[in-house]
Amino acid sequence: MAKISFREQVLRVREDAIITSVNRLLAEKGFDSMTVDEVAADVGIAKASLYKHFASKEALAAAAMVRVLARTLEHMNTLTGRPELTPVQCLRSVTGWALQLQLAGEMPALPSQNSTLRATLVSDTAYLDRLNEVSEQMGAWIVAAQADGSIDDTLPPELVLYTLFARACDPVPGVMQASGQHTDERIIEWVLQTCFNGLRKS
Amino acid sequence: MAKISFREQVLRVREDAIITSVNRLLAEKGFDSMTVDEVAADVGIAKASLYKHFASKEALAAAAMVRVLARTLEHMNTLTGRPELTPVQCLRSVTGWALQLQLAGEMPALPSQNSTLRATLVSDTAYLDRLNEVSEQMGAWIVAAQADGSIDDTLPPELVLYTLFARACDPVPGVMQASGQHTDERIIEWVLQTCFNGLRKS
DNA sequence: GTCTATAGCCAGATAGAC
DNA sequence: GTCTATCTGGCTATAGAC
């Protein structure tokens, strides 16, 4: 039993290293430009070994998405335990956390057009479950924020949800960072400000 | 002379048809997923004939971008002749025009990561010139709007410019449109509202 | 489970006849 | 300039030895 558990731990560590490489490469080059050869080289193992762990390139990307969603949920759970935070403050915290991830080059970017990738994702329950969980919690915060007046209640909650999701992949912070004239913190603050001011009642 | 001019006209019409197909396919599938075979099939000519008009797949995309930028400039020129419009109203008009284009499936989408494409674009003066012209006019409106108080003057003008550019490629309107619950006009109005409210002084 | 080597495929680009 | 046919390279995925 202990032996099996140990082997499983080794397996998980190896797979975690793979996902870390995939995550970084996805953030850097995007799904289409990322090659499996690059992933293998980055991890330091042979390409064929990769396919013993993950069935396809799409499965690699899905695993990266699952991990980032799981970490997002972890961050969200640290917020639900703090009743002094208002709903909009929670939303702002999550969005800011995602922006930090993006500026650190650790936000995997998936093209919405690629059909084979979408097919893999929509049949991946681990991915769908976590995505649903994130959406549910965000949605609850959104309607609460609309009820307390900090977000315009004439906006459809889905619009607000999609808008916040979109901010996590927005090119604007990356371009501002590339100009090199501002700190990451200030860039994030500006994006959060323009985003949440826009969602307020006008 | 007339003969040459006629031939040139035929050539331009054919190339215009090519660009129209490329534009639509770029909007629909993105650069990486679009294939030159598809373009040729859509235009109704052989692939080799395409390469008599454009040197590469990247050149096709660049031509599509040049045309959309040129049309954007046309729209902007209709605004500069109307002194009753405030700077922020001009910015809003241009952004709304781009959103219309996007919801009509005619906004070509280029991945910012693809390096060969970027290399072609940065050495394409027709593209760079038009991009500069758009940026200059938008920038002038932005600083004017900051001067008259309709846009927060503590925001760097580049941030505002990039934010408006980003809205033209934002996934949010497309997702909202796909839900089928709202008209294009209402979706555009919501996006413009959340965008420009966010840029106002708070 | 790891490796080397390779199969199989697809897409960008071109040759050469007309 | 247009076509058919083909080349070429790169990428996903796998075979098979260890």
Side-chain angles (χ1 to χ4, degrees):
Chain A
M1 292 305 171
K3 247 185 181 173
I4 290 176
S5 173
F6 176 72
R7 282 181 188 170
E8 278 177 3
Q9 271 201 4
V10 170
L11 196 77
R12 300 245 337 171
V13 167
R14 161 95 3 139
E15 292 192 349
D16 214 59
I18 294 172
I19 296 176
T20 297
S21 288
V22 171
N23 195 76
R24 203 176 46 74
L25 288 168
L26 280 180
E28 184 183 322
K29 326 185 59 174
F31 179 77
D32 290 318
S33 299
M34 179 186 83
T35 70
V36 179
D37 289 87
E38 280 175 325
V39 177
D42 196 67
V43 178
I45 62 177
K47 180 163 58 168
S49 303
L50 266 188
Y51 280 94
K52 297 287 182 180
H53 293 277
F54 297 94
S56 66
K57 181 184 176 184
E58 285 76 18
L60 285 171
M65 290 307 295
V66 166
R67 199 177 73 174
V68 76
L69 284 175
R71 291 187 175 175
T72 304
L73 281 170
E74 281 178 31
H75 177 77
M76 292 169 77
N77 284 334
T78 69
L79 301 175
T80 49
R82 296 172 56 188
E84 78 275 16
L85 291 178
T86 65
V88 75
Q89 282 175 327
C90 292
L91 291 171
R92 205 180 166 105
S93 172
V94 177
T95 309
W97 181 83
L99 288 171
Q100 271 186 308
L101 213 65
Q102 206 217 14
L103 287 182
E106 293 172 12
M107 178 62 84
L110 305 186
S112 52
Q113 301 110 341
N114 190 307
S115 56
T116 71
L117 178 56
R118 286 193 71 81
T120 300
L121 288 178
V122 298
S123 52
D124 185 327
T125 59
Y127 169 78
L128 288 181
D129 289 350
R130 281 165 181 77
L131 183 61
N132 272 330
E133 210 172 332
V134 170
S135 299
E136 295 274 328
Q137 178 63 77
M138 297 275 286
W141 281 330
I142 287 169
V143 295
Q146 288 182 310
D148 73 23
S150 46
I151 287 185
D152 185 351
D153 59 2
T154 67
L155 297 173
E158 320 93 68
L159 176 75
V160 181
L161 180 65
Y162 300 149
T163 299
L164 295 183
F165 273 142
R167 285 305 136 293
C169 314
D170 215 39
V172 171
V175 176
M176 289 298 288
Q177 186 189 44
S179 84
Q181 299 185 353
H182 313 282
T183 65
D184 289 1
E185 291 73 25
R186 173 165 285 174
I187 294 170
I188 292 176
E189 193 48 48
W190 276 328
V191 172
L192 288 175
Q193 177 192 324
T194 58
C195 176
F196 282 94
N197 274 356
L199 296 174
R200 278 197 320 198
K201 210 169 304 190
S202 57
Chain B
M1 293 302 169
K3 248 186 181 174
I4 291 177
S5 174
F6 176 71
R7 280 180 190 172
E8 278 178 1
Q9 271 202 4
V10 169
L11 197 78
R12 301 246 333 171
V13 167
R14 163 88 13 133
E15 292 191 350
D16 213 61
I18 294 172
I19 296 176
T20 298
S21 287
V22 170
N23 194 76
R24 204 174 47 73
L25 288 168
L26 280 181
E28 184 183 324
K29 325 185 60 171
F31 180 77
D32 290 318
S33 299
M34 179 186 82
T35 68
V36 179
D37 289 270
E38 279 175 326
V39 177
D42 196 68
V43 179
I45 62 176
K47 181 163 56 168
S49 303
L50 266 189
Y51 281 93
K52 297 287 182 179
H53 294 277
F54 298 93
S56 65
K57 181 184 177 183
E58 285 76 18
L60 284 170
M65 290 306 296
V66 165
R67 200 178 71 173
V68 77
L69 284 175
R71 292 187 174 175
T72 304
L73 281 170
E74 283 178 30
H75 178 76
M76 291 168 76
N77 285 334
T78 70
L79 301 175
T80 49
R82 296 171 55 188
E84 78 275 17
L85 292 177
T86 65
V88 75
Q89 281 175 327
C90 292
L91 292 170
R92 205 181 165 105
S93 172
V94 178
T95 309
W97 182 83
L99 288 172
Q100 270 186 309
L101 213 65
Q102 206 217 17
L103 286 182
E106 293 172 13
M107 178 62 85
L110 305 187
S112 51
Q113 301 111 343
N114 191 305
S115 56
T116 70
L117 179 56
R118 287 192 70 82
T120 300
L121 288 178
V122 297
S123 51
D124 185 327
T125 59
Y127 169 79
L128 288 181
D129 288 348
R130 280 163 183 79
L131 183 61
N132 272 331
E133 210 173 329
V134 171
S135 300
E136 296 275 329
Q137 178 62 76
M138 297 274 287
W141 281 331
I142 288 169
V143 295
Q146 288 181 312
D148 73 25
S150 46
I151 287 186
D152 185 352
D153 60 1
T154 67
L155 297 173
E158 320 92 70
L159 176 75
V160 180
L161 180 66
Y162 300 152
T163 300
L164 295 183
F165 273 144
R167 285 303 132 305
C169 313
D170 214 39
V172 172
V175 176
M176 289 296 289
Q177 185 189 44
S179 83
Q181 297 183 355
H182 312 284
T183 66
D184 289 2
E185 292 73 27
R186 173 165 284 174
I187 294 170
I188 291 175
E189 194 47 48
W190 276 327
V191 172
L192 288 175
Q193 176 191 325
T194 58
C195 176
F196 282 93
N197 273 356
L199 297 174
R200 280 198 316 201
K201 210 170 305 186
S202 58

